[in-house]
């Protein structure tokens, strides 16, 4: 077995994995309890993924009866994912994990690990961002990370800047020891969260998390929009604040992840799907990307783009009409007021009318 372990490390590091550990495949009982607690508290919101079936997500034997071990791998997406650079008018920002398909190197690394196991005659299956496994729990048990208060799995060298996955196998490999480390007295991520979604016990209230709303269908609550900033997809605020990740983050100097939102609003559905094919887009409906762009323009939009945003007051689903109204209320100016006032006279949907009224009131209060 030691020989296979050496080959696993060789294959993993040779294909870009920066961490590799092995743990048993016993059910993650405490994680199951934690998921149930979050669901009961309403903190998992309408999350599907692992929350669709927590029992399966925390017990790998329900998917692979033969699984005896999980070989857990990590990649880092820095420094390649770079920095969004200074805020720019009419430009949104993509969180670093999604500036391109950073899961691809992880997929490659895990497949080469699987290859070693299969060529030694063992069954092996790759699980990566899969509903059948809580990746961070496996990483913590396999000793390649510790569980941070931001809920991120942290590693000493890369902090929170990793993506995680596993290979389930029947090979009874020797396991690695969990890491003897924790966040200590640090609480930096908690005040750094723009929406107060984190607490000192390491609970994330997903219903207050910007990253959650960027991937959810429907209307984004106004309180979340207020804190949204110029984000288009994902949020890195609790990762940016994390001291163990600072040194590694400091090496990411290239600019990446800025998106021209006006250009985005002019793309067709097919063009949006193609350009952002590595994003999780709810119901595969690109209207959700336009919605996110409108919310970001509420923070970074200039008065010149009012006609483009105003175009959304009349066309498209109520979700877009509402978010366009909100954005115009924030951008302000006489052209925005005119567009809002004219739309409110014609709007038939009561919820959208209320957004239009709210936007007009906020323009007047703000003295724009
Ligand atoms: C649902 C989900 C989300 C949801 C909810 C996240 C959450 N914190 O619960 C949303 C959409 C908000 C989200 C956001 C993000 N996500 Co996400 N997400 C997932 C997904 C699909 C499932 C996570 C899950 O079910 N967790 C259940 C909870 C209970 O467990 P956990 O927090 O993940 O794990 C910890 C607990 O189990 C804890 N634990 C263990 N025992 C006990 C006992 C007790 C009592 C307690 C309290 C806790 C505890 O230790 C674990 C390790 O930290 C995973 C992929 C996967 N299949 O696992 C990716 C994943 C967690 N996401 C990931 C990433 C990168 C992100 C973002 C950084 C993206 C971004 N920049 O916007 C943000 C980070 C937000 C944050 N602070 O967590 C990475 C995290 C990598 C890492 N190094 O930690 C994952 C692992 C994807 C991957 N394959 O790499 N995500
Ligand atoms: S991803 Fe953003 S909104 Fe979500 S917990 Fe972290 S800082 Fe808060
Ligand atoms: S910011 Fe501090 S408390 Fe939060 S996860 Fe990082 S080390 Fe832990």
């Amino acid at each position: 077995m030691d020989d296979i372990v050496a080959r696993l490390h060789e294959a993993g590091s040779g294909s870009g994995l920066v961490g590799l550990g092995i743990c048993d495949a016993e059910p993650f009982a405490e994680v199951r309890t934690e998921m149930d607690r979050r669901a009961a508290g309403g903190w998992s919101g309408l999350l599907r993924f692992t929350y669709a079936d927590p029992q399966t997500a925390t017990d790998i034997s329900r998917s692979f009866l033969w699984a005896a071990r999980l070989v857990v791998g990590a990649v880092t997406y820095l420094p390649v994912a770079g920095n969004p650079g200074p805020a720019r008018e009419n430009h949104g920002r993509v969180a670093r994990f999604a500036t391109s398909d950073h899961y691809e190197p992880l997929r490659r690394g895990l497949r080469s690990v699987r290859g070693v196991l299969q060529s030694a005659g063992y069954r092996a299956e790759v699980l990566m961002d899969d509903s059948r496994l809580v990746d961070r729990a496996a990483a913590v048990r396999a000793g390649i990370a510790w569980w941070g208060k931001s809920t991120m799995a942290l590693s000493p060298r890369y902090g929170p800047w990793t993506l995680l996955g596993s290979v389930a196998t029947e090979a009874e490999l020797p396991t690695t020891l969990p890491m003897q480390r924790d966040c200590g007295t640090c609480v930096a991520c908690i005040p750094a969260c723009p929406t107060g979604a984190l607490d000192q016990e390491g609970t994330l209230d997903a219903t207050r998390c910007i990253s959650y709303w960027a991937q959810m269908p429907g209307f984004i609550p106004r309180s979340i929009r207020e804190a949204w900033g110029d984000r288009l997809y994902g949020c890195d605020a609790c990762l940016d604040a994390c001291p163990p990740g600072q040194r590694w983050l400091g090496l990411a100097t290239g600019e990446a992840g800025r998106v021209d939102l006006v250009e985005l609003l002019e793309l067709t559905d097919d063009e949006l799907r193609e350009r952002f094919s590595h994003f999780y887009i709810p119901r595969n409906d690109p209207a959700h990307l336009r919605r996110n762009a409108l919310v970001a323009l509420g923070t970074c939009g200039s008065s010149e783009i009012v006609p483009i945003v105003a175009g959304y007051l009349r066309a498209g689903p109520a979700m877009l009409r509402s978010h366009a109204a909100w954005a115009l209320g924030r951008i302000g100016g006489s052209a925005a007021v005119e567009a809002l006032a004219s739309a409110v006279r014609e709007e038939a949907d009561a919820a959208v009318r209320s957004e239009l009224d709210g936007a007009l009131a906020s323009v007047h209060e703000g003295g724009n």
Side-chain angles (χ1 to χ4, degrees), residues 146-154 159-160 181-190 192 198 200 237-245:
W146 80 87
W147 163 42
K149 287 171 194 158
S150 62
T151 80
M152 296 301 296
L154 307 184
R181 206 170 151 169
D182 58 31
C183 296
T185 54
C186 178
V187 287
C189 49
I190 295 165
L198 298 167
Q200 304 236 1
C238 54
L239 289 75
D240 282 335
C242 186

Side-chain angles (χ1 to χ4, degrees), residues 105-368:
L106 179 60
R107 196 173 291 119
R108 254 196 328 267
L110 294 172
R111 282 183 182 157
S112 63
V113 164
R114 179 184 62 189
V116 170
L117 291 161
Q118 287 177 336
S119 52
Y122 295 108
R123 276 181 281 194
E125 289 280 346
V126 170
L127 293 129
M128 188 190 79
D129 222 19
D130 192 298
S131 301
R132 295 169 294 179
L133 181 65
V134 176
D135 292 320
R136 296 196 278 212
V140 170
R141 188 186 277 178
I144 63 168
W146 80 87
W147 163 42
K149 287 171 194 158
S150 62
T151 80
M152 296 301 296
L154 307 184
S155 77
R157 180 150 185 214
Y158 307 106
W161 304 107
T162 57
L163 295 174
L164 306 166
S166 292
V167 178
T169 180
E170 63 184 338
E172 297 199 350
L173 303 163
T175 57
T176 38
L177 290 172
M179 208 171 261
Q180 294 302 313
R181 206 170 151 169
D182 58 31
C183 296
T185 54
C186 178
V187 287
C189 49
I190 295 165
C193 173
T195 49
L198 298 167
D199 72 13
Q200 304 236 1
E201 279 70 52
T203 306
L204 172 92
D205 177 354
T207 68
R208 287 160 80 178
C209 175
I210 292 172
S211 184
Y212 165 93
W213 284 106
Q215 309 185 9
M216 277 289 138
F219 289 71
I220 297 170
R222 283 189 211 179
S223 60
I224 302 291
R225 291 182 224 161
E226 303 287 342
W228 188 273
D230 59 359
R231 296 174 180 87
L232 173 66
Y233 187 73
C235 169
D236 278 340
C238 54
L239 289 75
D240 282 335
C242 186
Q246 290 306 308
R247 200 196 56 83
W248 190 237
L249 179 60
L251 301 179
T253 48
E255 192 170 315
R258 278 275 164 216
V259 176
D260 182 332
L261 299 174
V262 175
E263 195 185 296
L264 183 154
L265 287 176
E266 287 171 347
L267 295 178
T268 63
D269 281 3
D270 285 344
E271 287 166 340
L272 281 170
R273 282 196 196 95
E274 195 186 325
R275 172 146 176 218
F276 299 104
S277 59
H278 59 290
F279 284 13
Y280 173 78
I281 303 179
R283 300 174 184 151
N284 199 24
D285 179 356
H288 295 100
L289 276 181
R290 298 191 183 97
R291 171 202 66 181
N292 293 0
L294 289 168
V295 177
L297 283 170
T299 293
C300 67
S302 64
S303 51
E304 294 88 77
I305 56 125
V306 164
I308 293 162
V309 178
Y312 279 89
L313 291 179
R314 287 164 197 285
M319 174 182 81
L320 290 186
R321 303 203 299 281
S322 294
H323 289 80
W326 180 83
L328 287 173
R330 300 258 302 195
I331 296 168
S334 55
V337 172
E338 224 171 275
L340 288 164
S342 128
V344 84
R345 286 192 293 272
E346 289 164 31
E347 179 59 61
D349 183 306
V352 182
R353 254 202 332 271
S354 140
E355 290 274 5
L356 288 161
D357 287 336
L360 279 165
S362 83
V363 175
H364 294 310
E365 273 164 30
N368 290 314

